[in-house]
Amino acid sequence: MSLRYKATFRVKDFLFTALWDEDGRLWHLTFGARPAGAFLNRLPKGYSFTEAPISFKKSLEKELLAYFSGQTKTPVYPTFLSGSSFEKRVWLALLEIPFGEIRTYTWLAQKIGSPKALRAVGRALSKNPLPILYPCHRIVAKSGLGGFSSGLEIKKKLLTIEGIHVNSLTF
């Protein structure tokens, strides 16, 4: 594994922890104070990071700020997806959901050619290492918001930023 760099920073009301490789590709982006939780637990014991170069952090902050300010629909940033082939199919399909729109877990399962794999899709979404860039917050359940690895309050905020009125969603 070539992860090298880590930074924690704030953009708008959100605290992020980001992990990059030596080529500046983003591997993980986490909301909140817990730094990359389960992802870090999968790394070899004693694995350590150095502080990210300021250029990595500033360019990611710029992309996130543009998203939160409505200047860009989905941030574009060099990434590396680390996961199973199924998880990668799920995450890549998220890029097909337009800004300001939502889809269901059923839609996503059908989109990737696994219409009966709703629970597996949900698990893959919960492991999404790059939320916002791979917009899993745009997936909802037929009966409500569904889940979000960073918590429903953050999911609601992200949907609101995109102009989706969470309280008026009908299922």
Side-chain angles (χ1 to χ4, degrees):
M1 186 168 296
S2 63
L3 286 173
R4 300 278 311 266
Y5 302 109
K6 177 179 170 183
T8 300
F9 55 92
R10 188 171 293 282
V11 177
K12 294 279 187 174
D13 295 333
F14 299 99
L15 179 65
F16 291 98
T17 296
L19 305 175
W20 292 268
D21 66 15
E22 58 214 15
D23 297 321
R25 296 177 301 176
L26 188 64
W27 281 56
H28 199 83
L29 183 66
T30 301
F31 290 93
R34 56 184 188 123
F39 185 80
L40 289 176
N41 291 335
R42 292 193 305 238
L43 297 176
K45 204 167 194 81
Y47 197 93
S48 63
F49 297 91
T50 58
E51 184 63 25
I54 195 75
S55 61
F56 289 11
K57 188 172 121 178
K58 288 294 180 193
S59 62
L60 181 56
E61 285 175 330
K62 181 180 175 186
E63 283 295 320
L64 292 170
L65 187 57
Y67 168 77
F68 290 127
S69 303
Q71 297 169 1
T72 188
K73 305 295 183 196
T74 301
V76 177
Y77 194 87
T79 62
F80 182 89
L81 286 176
S82 176
S84 71
S85 61
F86 179 85
E87 290 167 341
K88 289 176 187 178
R89 283 194 349 248
V90 168
W91 302 331
L92 290 170
L94 296 170
L95 297 174
E96 297 183 35
I97 306 170
F99 178 90
E101 294 185 22
I102 56 174
R103 300 289 187 272
T104 63
Y105 291 93
T106 302
W107 175 89
L108 185 53
Q110 291 171 345
K111 183 74 178 165
I112 65 164
S114 300
K116 296 186 187 283
L118 295 177
R119 288 180 191 238
V121 163
R123 277 191 303 279
L125 291 173
S126 73
K127 294 178 181 178
N128 178 1
L130 298 163
I132 300 178
L133 283 81
Y134 295 85
C136 55
H137 60 278
R138 295 178 186 159
I139 296 293
V140 298
K142 285 183 180 178
S143 61
L145 280 177
F148 191 63
S149 61
S150 298
L152 286 181
E153 288 308 310
I154 290 178
K155 183 173 187 170
K156 289 176 186 177
K157 285 182 183 182
L158 294 174
L159 292 173
T160 300
I161 287 167
E162 295 193 16
I164 297 169
H165 302 287
V166 177
N167 295 331
S168 64
L169 288 178
T170 55
F171 301 98

